[in-house]
Amino acid sequence: MQYRKSLLAAAAVAGVAFAGLGGAPSVEAKTFKYAFQGSLSTLDPHGLNETFLLGTLGNVYEGLTAYDADLQLVPALAESWEVTAPDTWVFNLRKGVKFHGGQDFTADDVIFSWQRAGSDGSDQKVRASLISDIRKIDDHTIEVKTAAPNPLLTQEMVQLLIMDKEWSEANGTVTATSVSGGEEGNFANLNTNGTGPFMVTENTQDVRTVFQRFDGYWGTTDTNVTEVVLTPIAQDATRVAALLSGELDLVYPVPVQDWNRLEGAAGVQPLTGPEARTIFLGMDQSRDELLYSSVKGVNPFKDQRVRAAFAHALDLNAIRDRVMRGAATPTGVMVAPQINGFNEDLNTPYEYNPEKSKALLAEAGYPDGFEVTIDCPNDRYVNDERICQAAASMLAKVGVKVEVFAQPKSKYFAKVLQQNGYDTSFYLLGWTPGSIDSHNVLANLLSCQNVEKKIGLFNLGNYCNARVDEITALVEKETDPAKRQALIDEAFRIVQEEVGYLPIHQQPLSWGVRDGVTVAQRADNVLDFRNVVVP
Amino acid sequence: MLSFIARRVLQAFVVMAVVSLVSFSLFNFVGDPVNNMVGQEASREDRLQIREELGLNDPIVIQFARFLGNAVQGEFGLSYRIRRPVSELIAERIPATLELVFVSALVALGLGIPFGVYTGIKRGTFASSTVLTVSLVGVSLPTFIIGIGLIYLFAVYLGWLPSSGRRGVEEIGWWRTSFLSIDGWRSIILPALTLSLFQVTMILRLVRAEMLEVMRTDYIKFARARGLSEQKINYGVALRNTLVPVITIVGLNVGGLIAFSVITETVFQWPGTGLMFIQAVDFVDIPIMAAYLCFVALIFVLINLVVDILYFVIDPRLRLSGGR
């Protein structure tokens, strides 16, 4: 229980510090209690590249840049920056910033954190590898060289959280906590020392995590909260009950089916909005014969008419109304409005037209349709399995018999992803670009599969168009916003015309809050304590 | 006696080995842990490297041998998800489960025995049939429904008890107890009640059946003839004779309670080993799943061993035959 002792010691020190300042702190103590379905699997900011973990640790640690409540990029530990050459950035670091342990924030900490993020066991290696070198100009100025010209560097830096060099060295945690053993990284797995507005004072894994306000925080925030308590509650029904009983101020996610109950109950309400995650169906367009289909000898999805027939058979409004209780936003493009590069003009969904769909199928040589199996997770996205079932019944109306194979996410991903050889013919997937930029979608979903270049690896059906690949490479380096947007539009238009994917909708964010509590519901489903105000 | 115990211990080892082999071979079908251990942007090389480091590419037989070799030394490796030693995690979680099982066993005995005696003696009365009918609820409704129902009644509607979690925890050495505070007791009531309902029904019906049996025996008639009070006959003579099978069943059921606490712990977010197991299944955290299954098997084997030895001590026929 070593880590608990040190946490208690830290809390005791903090208590003494308060006492030293002359009794009670000037601000009124306010506690904000919330529950999420999962818990923090590690406190190591380089341990796992996952939205919930990084978003929550973002209250404790900070990057050079950050997102505000509307997902707009704002300066954080870097005050300003400029691009001096296509592959060179100069960052002016914020002065007077202190870590929770009292250490000063300097250029050395940034260089150290970048190196640590690239160490074995780190899940931030991809991000760290964007940078080829960091040169210290003085204590508060650094020059960053990128491996290739990269207009998105500042977006990527949001998630590269900065640790203190001194503290890490003193505690023997200079490399990231490895998943395969070795005690070296374990100190940061259980302890924190960031620059953020909150510090972790207690962390009983999977039971309770307590955050206290850090008085030495450099910035000003909107929050009036002095203490935050996170309780993981895995069961949906239990989580909702904990809100209804008045024990908690906020819970998320809330099942879409429970919105009416929250609206009917006194003192609580559902808080909903569109998430930046796009849900879509993908089709195997590379094999010569589908793995799971009645059609032998040819792959019907290689025929653009068949793909278009599928697109015209799906009634996205019906999915929104019946499966998602009106809360989803049907979409025609593979990125959400919050994502950099989104263009409303392209966002018209394919027309719902079963007659046209039947005609296209007949034209392609399948007047009586055919059979195919869709792979579907059942615990990953909002109502994922029910979306697949709805799509199956809609496709049945045009003669295509779709069998739904729904599995828990661990089994589903083990089957369909690259390491299992993309074992699927037709699948449902959801995607939020971590960099909040369209390039991420181009590179991961729309480029041809290419293991060596590490692109298209989540393009499970291997939709492939040479021009889209070319554009992806150009977008990565293009720094002129107008030219870049034109390229992105061109790529999205090609994918749309060729029916490379079948976009469904942006799924809803679904939180439940107590009356009087205000929070900013960010489209990436991150709860930022900086925006929380309790009555 | 010694050879009997030695034989039983040997059998226990064989059972443990079989259980661990069966559970281990199941892990091939639960999914790929690596997808959960890295974010979506992680490169293929990193994923392959992790698989290699975890030894997931080795044949299942080698993986099992390695697991067994470590397990006999009490070493279960690091959790894939939280990257801490599994033995430490189990030690952290076990007090919550044992306290829950302890309280629910008390509830089961405290409700089951008196009601069993009552319905056994006052056969056919309205009160008896009501108790018997209501007790059927305990076996016919799924634990999950009962748990959610209790939460909505006592936490949401009445607001008397906390809806979930384990509060008021204090440390005595490494043991984290919730017995020392009001909050702790308030939070254990609902899960313990939920977990005990099935046992209450079973004990109630067992005691009732035994009572009916015993009341027909000659020594009860003699006791009546001797003019003993009804009170003394019912509780002093009859109940005592029904208790032998009841204690056996309750003993065996403690193992079952630990194993079945999985659902109750999930519903109430009770931080015991059962909840940890469910989280591990979700994440494909193989080291925790393996350790937990071995742990449950060990408890069953130990309880059976103790019961066997007790029989040997109690029953002279076994002793005479040398336990064969």
Side-chain angles (χ1 to χ4, degrees), chain A residues 28 35 44 90 149 155 174 204 227 256 271 281 361 402 432 446 457 468-469 530:
Chain A
E28 196 189 339
D44 190 327
V90 173
Q155 269 88 341
V174 293
T204 315
E227 182 187 58
V256 173
L271 182 66
L281 306 183
L361 280 172
V402 178
T432 307
L446 305 180
L457 295 183
V468 173
D469 272 20
R530 293 169 183 84

Side-chain angles (χ1 to χ4, degrees), chain A residues 51-297:
Chain A
T51 314
F52 168 70
L53 181 77
L54 289 175
T56 310
L57 283 181
N59 296 300
V60 178
Y61 287 100
E62 293 176 299
L64 294 181
T65 52
Y67 288 125
D68 67 6
D70 304 315
L71 273 190
Q72 297 302 306
L73 193 75
V74 292
L77 288 181
E79 249 171 353
S80 61
W81 51 86
E82 57 179 324
V83 185
T84 52
D87 63 349
T88 311
W89 298 60
V90 173
F91 286 90
N92 300 307
L93 305 179
R94 201 172 290 279
K95 294 182 179 118
V97 174
K98 292 224 181 268
F99 284 92
H100 300 157
Q103 302 89 340
D104 287 315
F105 163 70
T106 65
D108 291 328
D109 298 321
V110 179
I111 297 170
F112 166 77
S113 299
W114 164 63
Q115 285 165 343
R116 190 177 188 276
S119 65
D120 268 352
S122 161
D123 198 21
Q124 294 288 352
K125 271 189 242 174
V126 175
R127 217 157 255 143
S129 70
L130 298 173
I131 296 173
S132 60
D133 190 33
I134 302 183
R135 192 168 64 87
K136 176 177 169 182
I137 296 174
D138 62 48
D139 264 359
H140 292 96
T141 317
I142 52 170
E143 187 186 79
V144 174
K145 287 260 184 212
T146 54
N150 185 347
L152 296 178
L153 185 69
T154 41
Q155 269 88 341
E156 296 286 352
M157 288 304 105
V158 172
Q159 310 272 47
L160 195 76
L161 302 175
I162 303 297
M163 297 173 71
D164 182 42
K165 185 176 187 233
E166 246 177 283
W167 178 82
S168 304
E169 282 173 351
N171 292 299
T173 181
V174 293
T175 59
T177 306
S178 170
V179 288
S180 55
E183 296 293 304
E184 203 176 346
N186 261 346
F187 193 80
N189 190 17
L190 306 170
N191 299 275
T192 60
N193 181 34
T195 56
F198 286 85
M199 46 194 181
V200 178
T201 50
E202 184 195 324
N203 182 38
T204 315
Q205 222 138 25
D206 293 335
V207 180
R208 191 175 131 94
T209 307
V210 181
F211 304 82
Q212 298 280 354
R213 186 73 165 268
F214 171 48
D215 285 333
Y217 184 54
W218 57 267
T220 51
T221 61
D222 296 335
T223 184
N224 64 349
V225 171
T226 51
E227 182 187 58
V228 178
V229 181
L230 160 63
T231 320
I233 302 180
Q235 283 292 333
D236 288 336
T238 313
R239 194 162 56 244
V240 171
L243 177 72
L244 290 173
S245 70
E247 291 159 75
L248 299 177
D249 298 311
L250 184 148
V251 299
Y252 77 109
V254 171
V256 173
Q257 298 81 306
D258 279 336
W259 287 0
N260 289 340
R261 179 176 297 164
L262 291 194
E263 272 160 7
V268 295
Q269 54 190 348
L271 182 66
T272 64
E275 185 178 349
R277 185 183 299 281
T278 303
I279 304 291
F280 56 87
L281 306 183
M283 301 153 282
D284 178 3
Q285 293 155 58
S286 78
R287 287 189 180 84
D288 289 329
E289 182 182 297
L290 290 179
L291 294 173
Y292 306 101
S293 167
S294 61
V295 182
K296 298 296 163 199

Side-chain angles (χ1 to χ4, degrees), chain B residues 118-316:
Chain B
Y118 179 80
T119 52
I121 297 164
K122 311 258 176 187
R123 263 183 306 159
T125 62
F126 176 72
S128 275
S129 9
T130 311
V131 167
L132 285 174
T133 313
V134 170
S135 77
L136 273 181
V137 172
V139 282
S140 49
L141 273 185
T143 312
F144 185 85
I145 305 283
I146 293 176
I148 295 291
L150 288 177
I151 290 177
Y152 270 89
L153 179 61
F154 287 103
V156 176
Y157 183 68
L158 295 171
W160 291 349
L161 297 169
S163 60
S164 58
R166 185 178 188 231
R167 297 157 196 228
V169 180
E170 284 169 42
E171 288 186 45
I172 308 175
W174 61 275
W175 185 280
R176 288 194 208 156
T177 181
S178 61
F179 282 171
L180 296 179
S181 64
I182 306 258
D183 264 353
W185 280 102
R186 275 161 48 87
S187 57
I188 206 171
I189 293 175
L190 290 183
L193 198 61
T194 307
L195 186 58
S196 69
L197 275 187
F198 184 87
Q199 311 292 329
V200 169
T201 308
M202 203 189 54
I203 291 173
L204 187 158
R205 290 182 170 252
L206 189 69
V207 170
R208 176 174 175 271
E210 290 289 327
M211 281 298 277
L212 291 177
E213 189 103 335
V214 169
M215 294 308 272
R216 279 198 295 267
T217 55
D218 289 343
Y219 57 82
I220 298 292
K221 285 183 193 139
F222 281 120
R224 282 232 168 79
R226 280 176 61 202
L228 293 182
S229 69
E230 278 296 306
Q231 188 83 2
K232 204 154 194 181
I233 294 173
N234 290 343
Y235 292 95
V237 183
L239 178 62
R240 190 180 290 174
N241 277 287
T242 65
L243 281 186
V244 177
V246 171
I247 287 170
T248 315
I249 293 288
V250 169
L252 284 175
N253 263 297
V254 168
L257 280 174
I258 292 175
F260 290 134
S261 69
V262 169
I263 297 168
T264 309
E265 287 184 7
T266 316
V267 174
F268 288 95
Q269 193 69 27
W270 187 261
T273 47
L275 181 63
M276 182 175 74
F277 178 67
I278 286 292
Q279 284 166 339
V281 171
D282 233 26
F283 191 88
V284 198
D285 199 339
I286 292 173
I288 288 192
M289 285 196 278
Y292 178 80
L293 290 174
C294 287
F295 164 73
V296 168
L298 181 70
I299 285 177
F300 271 97
V301 163
L302 279 182
I303 290 173
N304 270 306
L305 188 66
V306 169
V307 168
D308 279 351
I309 292 171
L310 278 180
Y311 278 166
F312 190 85
V313 173
I314 292 165
D315 194 333

